[in-house]
Each structure stands twice: as structure tokens, then as C-alpha cells.
Amino acid sequence: MKNLFKLKNLEVTEINDILDLAFECKTGKHDNSLQNKIVANLFFEPSTRTQYSFNTAQLKLGCKVITFNPSTSSLVKGESLYDTIKTFEAFGVNSLIIRHTQNEYYKQLSSINIPIINAGDGTLDHPTQSLLDLMTIKDNFKKFNGLKVVIIGDIIHSRVAHTNIEVMQRLGMDVVVSGPKEFAQDCYNYQDIDTAIVDADVIMLLRVQHERHSEHMAISNTEYNEKYGMNMKRVNSMKTNAIIMHPAPFNRNVEISDDVVECEKSRIFNQVNNGVFIRMAVLIRALGEK
Ligand code: CP
């Protein structure tokens, strides 16, 4: 069964197959190829890009879509995650897209017999975000091996960073982290932002994830922007063909200045667009049709 819980579970060849399929989806080749499938989106944590790009992907594929609303469901009567998911399986739904605050929530769902696609779990993994990031990098550079990627910001709380660092290193990229040292992790190669960005090919910014912090950040937004944010001065020190990425949502004038969001080097909205095709590809993979 083609679950997708974490990219660590996939071989490089499988990752490349999903990317190839996503590029095919971008040409329109697989539109309406899942017309008889019913899929359910269960988001137990807020989302705009992941939830609605899955929804867009499902509509392009011709799927019938159920959107689960936790606040009006029997969760409020105390029903468990397992019993909720078992209920959807009993409906005869063909695949489930799940985002949850709990790390590895899917471990308790191992007896469920329909494919589950992880749309983000706690601080651990966000596989479809990493796949769309890889698609955007491949779109620009036509390769992965030898590229330098700098990930700047709240590394410790970011499932995007954790998933990306593992897979990018496996694909031969040189990954460096930067930003506030208290948000970095000792296991990663750290460089000061102004050193890191001048020879980088990809600069990936991360939002400060206030909702995952137990204490308020000690510095103001303006100070954060000056010390660790991408502003036009820093953009002008980047290599000519280097690109800026951000999984979004972004905090304007904190980790990214207003005028950088849609500057010529920014690929932020290309990432959003590629997200639709990656999610089409993982749905096709999950439901056994190509
Ligand atoms: N990048 C991302 O996961 O955004 P959402 O939280 O809006 O889905």
C-alpha cells in the first residue's frame, strides 16, 4: 500500500519518480485520471497551502472530495483520532490526507487499510512540502548534486527543515543552516547569514513558529529582520542565478522584507504552484494509477 509518511522511507529513485510524475502532471497529462476515487482531507491543524493545494490537485484529477472539519465533528465529544480514521475507512473512502500536531500520529493507524498521505506531523515531517521544494529546485537548476542550500530561521521547530535537510543531503546537496543560534541544532553545519548566502544556490527562509515556542522570542521583529532576515541588501550579495524560497506562510518584514517576497530571485509562488502537481503525483502514486 502506497502510504506516504516521511521521505526517509523512500529511495532516491522513488523520489525522482514522483518528481517526474509531477512534471508530467504540470503538462496536463494526468488530468481527470482518478475520476472514481473518493478522498478525504483531515486537517487537525490549520493550513492554507497544503490543504487547498491537495484540494486543487484532487479536483484536477477528478476525485470526489470530503473535507473533514474537526470543530464540528465527534472529536469534540471525545472521539479519538484512531476511531475517526477507522470511521472514514468504513465509509469506503479510497485515500486519506492527514495533518496533525502529534509527531508520528500515523503510527497508531498501522491497521488502516487505505493509503494515508502525511500532510505534516508535529515538528517532524512534511513530505509533500519537501517534494515541492525539490521540484522547484529541479525546475531552476535541472540537477541537485553539488548545489549549496542555506536554510535560515527556526530550524528546531520546523518539520520542513528536518525533512528537507535529510533528503537534500541524500541528493548530494551541501546544506548549511543559519539564523538565531538558539533555533539551530548542533547536528547541522552552521554559518553566519552574511557568510552563508554569498555562495549559496538556494536560500530557504523559515517562519519563526511562535505557536511552537514555550517562551516569547527575546528580540523584536525589526531586530530579527536586521540580523537574520532577507532584505534587498542581502539579495544583492547573492549569486546571479541563486534563488530564494520559503514554504510560507511568511512574516513580512521579519524573516523576509516586503520587497523581497516577489523579487526576481524569489520562487515562493512557484513553490505554491508546484505544490499542486506534487500532490497530484502523490495521489496518483497512492491510488495505484499512473
Ligand atoms: N507550507 C505550508 O505547509 O503551509 P500551510 O500551513 O498553509 O499548509
Side-chain angles (χ1 to χ4, degrees):
M1 194 168 52
K2 294 287 174 72
N3 292 312
L4 178 59
F5 296 144
K6 49 173 69 195
L7 290 192
K8 250 186 214 169
N9 296 343
L10 300 189
E11 301 290 340
V12 166
T13 50
E14 291 177 280
I15 291 169
N16 282 323
D17 285 348
I18 294 173
L19 295 176
D20 289 345
L21 184 53
F23 280 112
E24 280 183 14
C25 288
K26 203 166 181 170
T27 68
K29 186 172 170 190
H30 298 282
D31 284 2
N32 293 314
S33 61
L34 296 181
Q35 277 185 356
N36 297 318
K37 304 297 182 186
I38 303 174
V39 293
N41 298 326
L42 297 97
F43 281 69
F44 298 86
E45 187 187 87
S47 167
T48 297
R49 275 145 292 273
T50 313
Q51 180 168 204
Y52 296 105
S53 65
F54 261 115
N55 206 160
T56 308
Q58 291 151 353
L59 295 175
K60 278 178 171 286
L61 290 166
C63 298
K64 298 172 178 71
V65 184
I66 299 172
T67 302
F68 173 75
N69 182 347
S71 66
T72 58
S73 76
S74 287
L75 279 181
V76 296
K77 300 178 210 165
E79 191 165 37
S80 68
L81 173 66
Y82 176 81
D83 289 340
T84 304
I85 300 306
K86 189 72 192 164
T87 301
F88 273 82
E89 181 188 43
F91 291 153
V93 166
N94 300 108
S95 180
L96 302 171
I97 317 302
I98 305 176
R99 171 176 285 193
H100 204 281
T101 51
Q102 193 185 330
N103 288 353
E104 296 184 313
Y105 66 81
Y106 46 80
K107 282 194 168 166
Q108 62 189 284
L109 305 177
S110 57
S111 65
I112 301 294
N113 282 314
I114 50 174
I116 294 173
I117 299 172
N118 181 12
D121 63 298
T123 56
L124 284 191
D125 280 287
H126 195 345
T128 57
Q129 177 68 45
S130 283
L131 287 166
L132 74 87
D133 292 341
L134 294 177
M135 184 177 179
T136 306
I137 292 170
K138 192 143 192 206
D139 231 354
N140 277 272
F141 297 100
K142 314 299 173 208
K143 64 169 192 177
F144 296 121
N145 197 38
L147 296 176
K148 177 180 175 182
V149 181
V150 183
I151 305 182
I152 305 170
D154 190 357
I155 311 292
I156 202 162
H157 297 103
S158 170
R159 55 193 171 211
V160 176
H162 296 138
T163 308
N164 267 337
I165 293 169
E166 188 279 326
V167 71
M168 285 173 170
Q169 287 176 335
R170 231 169 357 127
L171 290 167
M173 290 182 253
D174 173 22
V175 186
V176 166
V177 301
S178 190
K181 278 217 164 133
E182 65 269 32
F183 293 163
Q185 284 169 285
D186 292 342
C187 51
Y188 303 131
N189 182 11
Y190 180 93
Q191 285 181 343
D192 165 76
I193 183 168
D194 291 305
T195 307
I197 64 176
V198 289
D199 62 349
D201 300 291
V202 177
I203 291 170
M204 181 175 289
L205 306 169
L206 298 176
R207 181 173 67 88
V208 177
Q209 310 211 19
H210 295 287
E211 72 277 18
R212 295 191 184 138
H213 290 213
S214 51
E215 291 171 15
H216 272 303
M217 212 170 57
I219 63 172
S220 69
N221 288 346
T222 309
E223 201 183 339
Y224 188 97
N225 185 264
E226 280 165 13
K227 281 185 160 169
Y228 311 113
M230 277 310 283
N231 50 39
M232 282 316 282
K233 186 165 172 243
R234 288 196 169 113
V235 171
N236 290 332
S237 75
M238 291 168 60
K239 291 202 302 192
T240 312
N241 295 324
I243 61 171
I244 298 167
M245 297 171 65
H246 193 314
F250 38 80
N251 298 305
R252 285 180 189 260
N253 300 318
V254 185
E255 74 272 9
I256 185 165
S257 297
D258 214 9
D259 51 358
V260 177
V261 171
E262 293 184 56
C263 76
E264 180 253 328
K265 290 188 182 302
S266 170
R267 296 292 180 274
I268 294 172
F269 290 98
N270 302 82
Q271 290 173 265
V272 174
N273 182 247
N274 286 335
V276 172
F277 306 113
I278 283 293
R279 284 155 186 144
M280 288 175 79
V282 300
L283 281 161
I284 293 170
R285 174 182 176 272
L287 293 171
E289 296 177 33
K290 210 172 173 186

